[in-house]
Amino acid sequence: MKNTSILLKIAAILWIIWGLVHVFAGGITMYFIISGDISSAISGIADAIDPSTVQMDYPAAAGAIIGQHGFNLCWVGLVTFLCAFFIWKGNKNAIFLAAITGGLTDLGYFIFLDIGGFVKFAPGTVMTIVSGAAIALSFYAYFRMKNNATPLESTQ
């Protein structure tokens, strides 16, 4: 079962990368909102559009909504980052928590931003690929071990 352990370690590394990128993106988004620069927060998220198209005075409620988005990016990034260390050890709960948290976050991103054409391939779409690869690798490893009735290498 050495191969499944390697797959879990690769998935863990992918989740660490994904988590750190999202904590950073969320922090930057919240920083712009706190500093009162809603336009920069929006153009930072929708990076494929001309920033001049979002330069305007936004109501405070719009800033609060974008700020909440930044907060959500931070916490989902932190959750997946922490899950990665447990995935490394083969913890099935961490595998599924990271998949649900990171996967559903990127599903919304894909539906509303990628398909809408509002974002560049890097870093956003690349992160969607990273989370998809992490989910696929960890699920494959988990179900392979489960089908072989071999316990996961963990401290479960």
Side-chain angles (χ1 to χ4, degrees), residues 74-152:
C74 270
W75 79 257
V76 297
L78 183 60
V79 166
T80 56
F81 176 80
L82 294 174
C83 282
F85 296 97
F86 293 95
I87 291 170
W88 185 278
K89 295 181 177 188
N91 183 286
K92 78 170 184 170
N93 294 331
I95 290 169
F96 287 95
L97 180 58
I100 291 167
T101 306
L104 289 177
T105 298
D106 269 346
L107 178 62
Y109 177 89
F110 180 75
I111 291 169
F112 294 103
L113 293 169
D114 260 331
I115 291 176
F118 299 112
V119 293
K120 295 178 183 172
F121 183 73
T125 307
V126 170
M127 288 296 105
T128 301
I129 294 167
V130 166
S131 72
I135 292 168
L137 290 171
S138 59
F139 277 21
Y140 178 76
Y142 171 75
F143 288 110
R144 185 172 170 196
M145 286 186 285
K146 184 178 177 188
N147 290 339
N148 290 332
T150 302
L152 293 172

Side-chain angles (χ1 to χ4, degrees), residues 41-70:
I42 293 172
S43 64
I45 296 164
D47 61 356
I49 63 167
D50 178 3
S52 67
T53 63
V54 295
Q55 291 295 321
M56 59 186 81
D57 288 328
Y58 289 93
I65 292 166
I66 300 298
Q68 179 201 19
H69 172 69

Side-chain angles (χ1 to χ4, degrees), residues 33-49:
I33 296 305
I34 290 168
S35 66
D37 193 357
I38 299 170
S39 298
S40 290
I42 293 172
S43 64
I45 296 164
D47 61 356
I49 63 167

Side-chain angles (χ1 to χ4, degrees), residues 18-30:
W18 192 93
L20 289 174
V21 166
H22 284 77
V23 168
F24 177 75
I28 292 295
T29 300
M30 288 188 293

